[in-house]
Amino acid sequence: MKFSIVIIVFLLVSGGLSKQVKAQRYLSTNRTVRLYKVLDVSLSSTSAVFDFSALTDYDNGIYKTGMITATVKANVPWKLTLTLSNNILSPQITATPMPATVIGIKASSSGTYTNVQNNAPFFVQNNRGLYVVPFDLRALPAFQYQTQEYVGDFYFTISDQ
């Protein structure tokens, strides 16, 4: 009987210790993060001039590595397209106007130049993120055009895919 009283006292004491209640209170609140479509491009250029002052330049063309660099920031898959104000480089008053296709462009990481023209615009594309895309340009007019300066406006447009 003594033994059973000790067990009962032990159970009462241990049960009382485990029933200590702590006061708790839970609160919650919502926070919202709103993201909007981001498509941003900035351009930098090392030079805007192809200077054909050497005879070998007419034979071989002038190649400018990293002539234009585009910095793209986008949180959606993007496409950067190059178009021109006109398929002919100005001035257009010469007997043989210079077509914009004498200029070729490629992303520095690719292997082939694409002739610049509006009916088949040049583009690069990628997934969301921050990208620095250097472009190489080539000018190859040969001996076909009158002596003067020719100018063309290049337009880079960023859009989502």
Side-chain angles (χ1 to χ4, degrees):
M1 176 100 165
K2 265 185 174 183
F3 180 69
S4 56
I5 292 176
V6 172
I7 291 177
I8 290 174
V9 170
F10 175 75
L11 289 174
L12 287 174
V13 171
S14 66
L17 290 176
S18 67
K19 289 185 180 178
Q20 289 180 353
V21 177
K22 294 182 181 179
Q24 294 182 354
R25 182 174 178 193
Y26 293 100
L27 297 173
S28 69
T29 182
N30 290 331
R31 293 294 177 251
T32 302
V33 176
R34 285 195 181 116
L35 298 178
Y36 298 92
K37 186 186 303 185
V38 175
L39 289 165
D40 181 61
V41 64
S42 61
L43 299 174
S44 62
S45 180
T46 57
S47 170
V49 178
F50 289 100
D51 183 8
F52 282 83
S53 56
L55 182 60
T56 57
D57 292 338
Y58 290 91
D59 291 325
N60 303 319
I62 295 176
Y63 293 79
K64 297 223 178 191
T65 304
M67 189 175 193
I68 300 172
T69 299
T71 301
V72 175
K73 299 174 186 175
N75 63 358
V76 294
W78 55 270
K79 179 178 183 178
L80 184 63
T81 306
L82 168 66
T83 55
L84 303 160
S85 59
N86 194 329
N87 276 333
I88 298 172
L89 302 177
S90 63
Q92 300 171 28
I93 56 174
T94 62
T96 309
M98 185 182 292
T101 56
V102 301
I103 297 176
I105 187 169
K106 72 177 185 110
S108 293
S109 60
S110 72
T112 335
Y113 283 92
T114 300
N115 291 337
V116 174
Q117 55 190 340
N118 280 339
N119 56 350
F122 171 79
F123 68 90
V124 293
Q125 57 190 16
N126 217 323
N127 295 316
R128 63 180 164 249
L130 169 64
Y131 295 89
V132 177
V133 185
F135 295 102
D136 301 343
L137 275 80
R138 167 203 76 207
L140 187 55
F143 299 97
Q144 302 175 20
Y145 305 102
Q146 184 175 338
T147 303
Q148 60 187 305
E149 283 190 5
Y150 293 87
V151 179
D153 291 325
F154 288 37
Y155 299 105
F156 286 89
T157 306
I158 191 163
S159 59
D160 56 344
Q161 293 186 46

